[in-house]
Amino acid sequence: MAYVAIADRDTHLHDPQTFVTKYIWSQDHKVIAIQYSLIAIGVGLVALVLSGMMRLQLGFPDTFSFITPNNYLQFITMHGMIMVIYLLTALFLGGFGNYLIPLMVGARDMVFPYMNMLSVWVYLLAVLVLLASYFVPGGPTGAGWTLYPPQAILPGTAGASWGIILMLVSLAIFIVAFTMGGLNYVCTVLQARCRGMTLMRMPLSIWGIFMATILGLLAFPALLVSAIMMILDSLIGTSFFMPAIVSMGEQLAYEGGSPILFQHLFWFFGHPEVYIVALPAFGIVSDLLSVHARKNIFGYRMMVWAILAIGGLSFVVWAHHMYVSGMNPYFGFFFATTTLIIAVPTAIKVYNWVLTLWHGDIHLRVPMLFAIGFIFTFIHGGLTGLFLGNVTVDLPLSDTYFVVGHFHMVMGVSPILVVFGAIYHWFPKITGKMYNETLGKWHFWLTFLGTYSIYLPMHYLGILGVPRRYFALGETEFIPDSAHIANESITISALIVAVVQILFIINMVWSTWRGQKADPNPWGATTLEWQTPDTPPKHGNWGPKLPEVYRWAYDFSVPGAARDFIPQNEPLDPKIAPGRDHGVHA
Amino acid sequence: MSTTVLFVLVLAGVVGWWLFARQLTGRPWELAQRKLDDSHEGATLAVSPARTGLWVLLAVISSFFALFMSAYGMRMMLDDWRPLAEPSLLWGNTLILVLSSIAFQWTRVAARRGDRPAVQTGLIVTGFFTFAFLAGQVLAWRQLSASGQYLHSNVANAFFFLLTGLHGLHLLGGLAAWARTMLRLMQAGTALGQARQSVELCATYWHYLLLVWLVLFGMLLAT
Ligand code: HEM
Ligand SMILES: [Cu+2]
């Protein structure tokens, strides 16, 4: 290939001098990653507080006069949207994607650093527009995170005039920010790897982030399209989604629009979105398990192919969210089938994680605890997904707490556990300091057990038929007293889990300033980010010379090797026979 | 939605096949593969990052328009749809857009030759045709409004205004890149400098938007 690796052409690397260009208008991917993460975690804390308020209302109805039905619906909406998009998507791709991609593939920076910088500031703008909806007449929208019309823009729904518009505009801005970042992630992975880093030598973290970015780039437009049409329906009175409708005794000017059309567009985005969040978590957790079990990941190629297969299939299952909206039975059959098919590559990944642990030299450090916790919660949520994937089982369970339990296990708790594991894992590299292990373990156990005590009972509530998105259950025959007790207990657990997160914040802040100095490669990891000349890595990452890669990312416990890991940039030692002869490689 | 699904599947098929054929079947832990891998230069495609970025962006924009077309197809089936008679002016506009694309291709060839004066002329001509196209589109809108066909009169109208408007916006974005190219050309003095790559990328973008327009126009005419 006559092409000069662009990572070698340093010309585009700007040299930041002042405080402002170093830490604020910075084009350095590591600084941008931290900016993304801090904004995401900040707005995530808002969403956490909102969930606490929802739980207060559900656990102790008629107790808090400041929570009205409208408030409650606004909390639900903002909570869901922030968690899914402004926290998890931004944190995994903007945060981890930015930090890890150039370091793990051996580049000096992203390929379009200026656009990367714009991305984070546009993201901040999206967050501000979203939060601004708290200060407009009517407050934020209470339409639910799915924003279904017609109710989303009809009077009677909270925020139907201002709130919903700000929400849609904020989403549109977010999509612009994401696209700018996403172009960077994809092009850096494809074009800026260092010498010797073939695609199949990339760590799985990069594969997960890469595929999730592609999903995002292709799926977010669906949200943008629906946002544009809904804005027009609301402001100009077009009838893309709005049917002829009588609202509060008044015939509105809309005619003939299709709310179902919105649902198709929304879920065409919405289902890939769950994998936008899940795939980076899959990738990262694979690396955490492998490093802390001192074993190569089981079935690397299968893991890569599974990521690709899940990515492709996630575009043909969206209507499993619409079984109750009414559709041709053959469509239901089709989507149930694809939904069950997508479970196959997912299950393969789960088996491979478990088999990676098998006969591993497991070190139960904090990141590993979170990674193993993830396997539990993910299996749990995945299994309930299989229930819901079948039309006949889904019909009675749809819109109940069973669905809430399912998606919180699978896309709430599981990715968040990986986020925590990943932050603990890379903390020594990012800050150069070590976190406090004891605090970290307390944080893990309280969070892990706490989330189980929150979400397991929800499955039971759902099977009883307790509907989701209800402000209060009132007096109903099919809801026994035990359900109310369960609700109280869930609320108490939720409040405890929320408060426990303070341990994490204290640990991070305190360790950043006061923590012990960390070893450059404390876990004995093989991937490139642990082999940088400086810790934390300096601008340009690699000092004068780019790394060269001589092996895949999983050379752990190779027989005959001096240490139980061999970094990717260590040349082949002819004395240590590589390959499958010694049986550790799968 | 089938349009979009088709689009995504075709895209996934092409990319997946290509990746598989080339790189995804290797066993990175085996010695033979290792020797091959060690001499890999790092980049996947033999094109510049900027061009890769452009192609990825075009995939995103295609997804965007494909979704609009899916929505159009689904909404069209409902009872209240009253087809719109497209102003015949659109044919003229289409011709102008074709001309602008031809002009850009000509500029690109001139840039490859390193013929600076020709590049400058070519850019100016392209810009002229492009602005003419946009003016033509606005004129078409005004003709429609003058005959009482407003955005909110019927959803077919709404789609018409929306699709032409969004296509125009993308073209405006292209014009911003075009203006930057002009600027670079001025700064480069007698040489082409960085303007050369900009011309290459912009030309691709123009052809792409022409293609989008032809598809959209075809769909609007056919329904
Ligand atoms: C084994 C794989 C999975 C299957 C078969 C599955 C199936 C389903 C089905 C059928 C529903 C619709 C339930 C209803 O509304 O009645 C649903 C909802 C949901 N699933 Fe899954 N799922 C799977 C994995 C996942 C994963 C990996 C995530 C995220 C990381 C996820 C996130 C969600 C979310 C967020 C919802 C609810 C959306 C809403 O209505 O607000 N699922 N799932
Ligand atoms: Cu889904």
Side-chain angles (χ1 to χ4, degrees):
Chain A
M1 224 177 263
Y3 175 68
V4 186
I6 54 128
D8 263 334
R9 292 197 247 117
D10 281 14
T11 38
H12 75 286
L13 265 194
H14 46 96
D15 218 352
Q17 305 293 348
T18 65
F19 178 83
V20 173
T21 47
K22 252 188 178 153
Y23 299 109
I24 303 190
W25 302 115
S26 171
Q27 303 186 23
D28 186 314
H29 70 101
K30 300 181 290 297
V31 179
I32 294 174
I34 291 169
Q35 292 171 332
Y36 247 115
S37 308
L38 291 181
I39 301 173
I41 293 175
V43 69
L45 288 176
V46 174
L48 186 70
V49 171
L50 292 176
S51 66
M53 311 263 265
M54 279 146 44
R55 278 318 314 180
L56 281 179
Q57 168 60 29
L58 291 173
F60 309 99
D62 310 323
T63 317
F64 304 96
S65 56
F66 61 92
I67 306 178
T68 64
N70 268 343
N71 288 151
Y72 179 80
L73 293 172
Q74 292 170 323
F75 297 161
I76 287 197
T77 310
M78 295 293 271
H79 163 81
M81 199 61 103
I82 291 176
M83 286 297 191
V84 172
I85 295 193
Y86 299 85
L87 171 68
L88 285 175
T89 306
L91 190 55
F92 270 125
L93 300 179
F96 287 106
N98 255 316
Y99 197 86
L100 294 179
I101 290 174
L103 280 167
M104 280 187 149
V105 304
R108 292 196 184 279
D109 208 314
M110 290 287 182
V111 288
F112 313 120
Y114 186 75
M115 202 155 72
N116 206 22
M117 173 185 80
L118 281 186
S119 167
V120 74
W121 294 105
V122 177
Y123 163 58
L124 179 63
L125 178 67
V127 169
L128 293 179
V129 171
L130 182 76
L131 295 181
S133 61
Y134 266 101
F135 304 97
V136 295
T141 169
W145 88 283
T146 48
L147 305 178
Y148 280 1
Q151 45 93 12
I153 57 177
L154 287 184
T157 305
S161 49
W162 284 78
I164 182 75
I165 299 292
L166 284 181
M167 170 66 87
L168 296 170
V169 169
S170 165
L171 288 171
I173 299 173
F174 180 89
I175 294 167
V176 172
F178 174 80
T179 306
M180 291 196 284
L183 289 179
N184 261 302
Y185 316 151
V186 169
C187 294
T188 306
V189 170
L190 284 180
Q191 297 301 77
R193 304 193 306 277
C194 67
R195 193 182 164 79
M197 182 63 91
T198 55
L199 287 178
M200 290 305 270
R201 277 179 171 180
M202 295 197 303
L204 287 169
S205 300
I206 299 300
W207 272 112
I209 291 170
F210 177 61
M211 195 64 205
T213 308
I214 293 179
L215 293 192
L217 288 173
L218 296 179
F220 270 117
L223 185 62
L224 184 57
V225 166
S226 36
I228 292 174
M229 298 207 282
M230 179 126 69
I231 289 177
L232 289 180
D233 273 4
S234 169
L235 293 184
I236 309 213
T238 52
S239 301
F240 291 110
F241 303 132
M242 295 299 281
I245 199 165
V246 177
S247 164
M248 304 191 157
E250 221 185 300
Q251 174 78 41
L252 301 184
Y254 297 113
E255 48 167 6
S258 165
I260 302 275
L261 173 59
F262 177 88
Q263 297 188 12
H264 278 297
L265 289 170
F266 183 86
W267 288 114
F268 189 81
F269 145 77
H271 187 84
E273 168 63 31
V274 307
Y275 283 100
I276 292 170
V277 170
L279 288 179
F282 290 176
I284 289 173
V285 87
S286 309
D287 285 346
L288 298 194
L289 289 170
S290 175
V291 170
H292 295 278
R294 317 308 296 153
K295 243 189 87 192
N296 61 311
I297 189 79
F298 190 92
Y300 174 79
R301 283 201 308 170
M302 211 52 99
M303 291 300 245
V304 173
W305 295 347
I307 287 178
L308 299 179
I310 291 174
L313 285 170
S314 68
F315 279 105
V316 286
V317 299
W318 78 88
H320 65 210
H321 295 274
M322 298 165 56
Y323 291 152
V324 290
S325 306
M327 67 173 95
N328 185 317
Y330 288 108
F331 282 166
F333 177 73
F334 172 81
F335 283 105
T337 311
T338 51
T339 302
L340 298 184
I341 291 176
I342 204 173
V344 175
T346 313
I348 289 178
K349 296 193 77 72
V350 174
Y351 292 131
N352 286 353
W353 291 322
V354 177
L355 288 170
T356 301
L357 295 177
W358 180 255
H359 278 203
D361 175 10
I362 296 177
H363 296 253
L364 282 182
R365 301 158 182 138
V366 180
M368 186 60 151
L369 288 175
F370 277 100
I372 295 176
F374 162 86
I375 300 184
F376 279 88
T377 55
F378 188 74
I379 290 179
H380 228 107
L383 288 178
T384 49
L386 291 181
F387 285 58
L388 297 174
N390 292 287
V391 185
T392 40
V393 185
D394 181 63
L395 292 184
L397 288 177
S398 194
D399 276 319
T400 68
Y401 266 85
F402 193 87
V403 173
V404 178
H406 158 68
F407 72 73
H408 276 92
M409 276 321 244
V410 86
M411 101 171 291
V413 178
S414 301
I416 286 284
L417 290 182
V418 176
V419 162
F420 284 136
I423 292 179
Y424 285 112
H425 181 79
W426 278 291
F427 186 80
K429 181 52 65 176
I430 297 171
T431 61
K433 304 286 178 58
M434 206 41 154
Y435 58 81
N436 181 309
E437 184 87 10
T438 320
L439 265 185
K441 287 198 167 144
W442 275 100
H443 176 220
F444 167 75
W445 283 109
L446 291 171
T447 306
F448 178 68
L449 297 177
T451 49
Y452 258 101
S453 62
I454 298 174
Y455 296 111
L456 266 192
M458 285 193 189
H459 295 83
Y460 163 73
L461 291 179
I463 290 172
L464 285 179
V466 175
R468 72 192 273 213
R469 292 179 174 161
Y470 272 39
F471 167 70
L473 296 177
E475 293 295 321
T476 22
E477 283 217 346
F478 66 93
I479 300 178
D481 274 348
S482 62
H484 296 292
I485 298 172
N487 257 333
E488 272 176 39
S489 132
I490 292 175
T491 296
I492 291 167
S493 312
L495 294 179
I496 293 175
V497 170
V499 172
V500 162
Q501 304 315 311
I502 292 176
L503 290 184
F504 168 72
I505 293 175
I506 291 177
N507 199 350
M508 294 296 108
V509 174
W510 190 85
S511 304
T512 303
W513 302 121
R514 288 286 151 82
Q516 277 182 356
K517 199 166 165 355
D519 193 89
N521 187 0
W523 318 127
T526 58
T527 40
L528 289 180
E529 81 276 22
W530 297 102
Q531 326 301 336
T532 52
D534 308 284
T535 299
K538 291 221 168 71
H539 188 67
N541 294 348
W542 307 107
K545 198 170 172 326
L546 279 174
E548 288 185 12
V549 166
Y550 299 99
R551 55 188 74 237
W552 71 335
Y554 299 98
D555 264 341
F556 289 106
S557 309
V558 178
R563 294 175 295 179
D564 70 348
F565 69 101
I566 312 179
Q568 280 193 281
N569 58 350
E570 197 169 300
L572 198 63
D573 179 350
K575 286 198 297 290
I576 307 167
R580 45 174 45 176
D581 339 342
H582 47 64
V584 283
H585 295 308
Chain B
M1 298 309 281
S2 38
T3 320
T4 315
V5 171
L6 207 68
F7 162 73
V8 171
L9 287 185
V10 169
L11 198 68
V14 172
V15 173
W17 171 80
W18 181 85
L19 283 173
F20 249 92
R22 291 205 172 191
Q23 338 217 348
L24 289 193
T25 45
R27 295 186 167 81
W29 54 88
E30 286 188 345
L31 194 57
Q33 180 67 39
R34 218 159 173 172
K35 297 219 163 107
L36 287 178
D37 288 353
D38 281 354
S39 58
H40 190 276
E41 294 281 351
T44 307
L45 310 160
V47 294
S48 72
R51 180 154 281 275
T52 321
L54 178 67
W55 279 102
V56 178
L57 181 67
L58 296 189
V60 176
I61 301 177
S62 306
S63 176
F64 180 73
F65 280 109
L67 281 155
F68 260 117
M69 289 169 60
S70 301
Y72 188 90
M74 286 164 75
R75 186 65 182 79
M76 202 177 83
M77 302 299 173
L78 302 180
D79 300 336
D80 66 320
W81 183 274
R82 286 196 304 275
L84 179 77
E86 284 80 18
S88 51
L89 180 61
L90 290 185
W91 286 99
N93 291 351
T94 307
L95 186 68
I96 295 178
L97 194 62
V98 173
L99 287 178
S100 82
S101 221
I102 293 175
F104 228 139
Q105 185 59 25
W106 186 79
T107 317
R108 173 192 244 170
V109 174
R112 284 187 187 153
R113 275 201 319 267
D115 183 348
R116 190 186 180 285
V119 171
Q120 189 163 351
T121 323
L123 280 177
I124 293 172
V125 174
T126 312
F128 171 76
F129 280 130
T130 311
F131 278 113
F133 170 79
L134 288 176
Q137 296 288 80
V138 174
L139 201 63
W141 282 6
R142 302 197 38 177
Q143 285 182 358
L144 278 178
S145 310
S147 65
Q149 301 276 11
Y150 299 107
L151 176 70
H152 52 268
S153 311
N154 184 264
V155 69
N157 300 19
F159 268 115
F160 177 84
F161 281 99
L162 195 55
L163 289 174
T164 48
L166 287 170
H167 176 263
L169 269 183
H170 281 84
L171 210 48
L172 271 183
L175 279 173
W178 168 86
R180 223 172 78 143
T181 314
M182 290 292 269
L183 210 68
R184 283 188 165 164
L185 199 64
M186 302 296 151
Q187 282 166 354
T190 52
L192 278 174
Q194 283 194 306
R196 186 185 172 131
Q197 194 187 25
S198 308
V199 168
E200 286 278 341
L201 298 181
C202 284
T204 308
Y205 187 68
W206 249 253
H207 299 334
Y208 168 77
L209 280 187
L210 173 63
L211 183 71
V212 169
W213 172 249
L214 292 179
V215 172
L216 288 179
F217 188 40
M219 181 185 77
L220 291 170
L221 280 184
T223 53

